[in-house]
Amino acid sequence: ETGVTQTPRHLVMGMTNKKSLKCEQHLGHNAMYWYKQSAKKPLELMFVYSLEERVENNSVPSRFSPECPNSSHLFLHLHTLQPEDSALYLCASSQEQPGVLTGELFFGEGSRLTVL
Amino acid sequence: GQQVMQIPQYQHVQEGEDFTTYCNSSTTLSNIQWYKQRPGGHPVFLIQLVKSGEVKKQKRLTFQFGEAKKNSSLHITATQTTDVGTYFCAAFNAGGTSYGKLTFGQGTILTVHP
């Protein structure tokens, strides 16, 4: 149990489908993240939310749309994805203090996405 | 953007042998973190190094941060089969902002043969 829960754990979707990934953190953290993990590539930061405000969008295609309704929940809405978007999508949270680098990330177990 | 190079990409060892992975950056780092990801699992935070030349130990694991804060290493003494997994370094650029804008290395995949 990591304190960060992701659902679904596995998702198979066609290129025309719309689906969403969900993340919930039970750690009381004030920042949440989406990362993409592809084979043989470093972890890629996609989005960062701090206090429910998006503070980072790492040039992610618009077919990925994040939503952070409150500090405990984070969604990644998926629409018209491509096969190359197949990957493990990891949610993480951290407790950030203004002016102090912390950034210890607590990851969820990930959602394994396959786009057909 | 900042790049963090991690070597080797793969390491196969016999149980009981030592293992080291290295992380290098062309720019000065504010701090560096290390994570471990077991096969089929998710990254788990191991440690954070902040000071130049810092050395920290966790049982058989020794973490070092270079004097120039441009490189780091993780050394495992007498590996065990439970050490299997991918080890990632992740770093903040000096002068960067917070909010977890870490740059991850590509990871070193460690396999341990019993």
Side-chain angles (χ1 to χ4, degrees):
Chain A
E1 181 59 47
T2 69
V4 180
T5 304
Q6 288 187 242
T7 55
R9 294 293 309 280
H10 300 272
L11 178 62
V12 179
M13 59 187 289
M15 288 191 284
T16 58
N17 292 159
K18 288 183 182 180
K19 297 287 184 182
S20 296
L21 306 181
K22 178 183 175 182
C23 178
E24 183 175 0
Q25 60 100 356
H26 313 277
L27 302 169
H29 288 165
N30 59 10
M32 296 187 74
Y33 315 77
W34 282 115
Y35 278 87
K36 176 182 178 182
Q37 187 173 39
S38 306
K40 301 183 179 178
K41 282 188 175 181
L43 278 162
E44 301 173 61
L45 178 63
M46 300 176 73
F47 302 104
V48 182
Y49 276 82
S50 176
L51 298 174
E52 302 150 44
E53 179 182 345
R54 191 190 309 180
V55 296
E56 180 75 14
N57 179 345
N58 229 20
S59 302
V60 178
S62 59
R63 57 186 183 267
F64 295 92
S65 174
E67 179 189 359
C68 187
N70 55 61
S71 60
S72 299
H73 293 86
L74 185 65
F75 295 89
L76 187 63
H77 303 300
L78 315 170
H79 177 49
T80 59
L81 296 190
Q82 305 298 312
E84 59 265 28
D85 297 322
S86 298
L88 181 67
Y89 289 85
L90 289 160
C91 174
S93 71
S94 70
Q95 184 62 28
E96 299 296 325
Q97 301 176 34
V100 177
L101 288 175
T102 54
E104 174 187 341
L105 296 174
F106 291 78
F107 286 89
E109 296 184 351
S111 294
R112 174 70 62 185
L113 173 65
T114 303
V115 182
L116 302 176
Chain B
Q2 174 185 275
Q3 284 192 321
V4 175
M5 305 302 296
Q6 193 173 350
I7 55 171
Q9 189 174 356
Y10 302 95
Q11 186 75 59
H12 310 281
V13 300
Q14 288 292 131
E15 190 172 20
E17 292 181 341
D18 292 356
F19 158 75
T20 305
T21 175
Y22 301 90
C23 194
N24 298 292
S25 171
S26 58
T27 59
T28 303
L29 305 171
S30 290
N31 60 0
I32 195 159
Q33 300 178 355
W34 286 92
Y35 291 80
K36 176 184 178 181
Q37 185 173 16
R38 294 181 186 274
H42 58 278
V44 175
F45 175 82
L46 294 176
I47 209 160
Q48 177 167 269
L49 304 173
V50 179
K51 298 177 182 177
S52 169
E54 189 170 14
V55 178
K56 288 188 177 180
K57 292 190 176 184
Q58 289 179 352
K59 297 183 180 178
R60 294 178 294 105
L61 277 60
T62 302
F63 303 85
Q64 293 191 349
F65 202 7
E67 293 290 342
K69 300 184 76 172
K70 289 186 176 182
N71 56 74
S72 181
S73 65
L74 158 58
H75 179 82
I76 302 178
T77 304
T79 54
Q80 299 176 358
T81 54
T82 53
D83 295 325
V84 163
T86 303
Y87 292 85
F88 295 96
C89 62
F92 286 103
N93 218 5
T97 62
S98 64
Y99 304 123
K101 290 176 67 174
L102 291 170
T103 299
F104 277 83
Q106 65 197 77
T108 296
I109 300 172
L110 172 65
T111 55
V112 179
H113 301 286

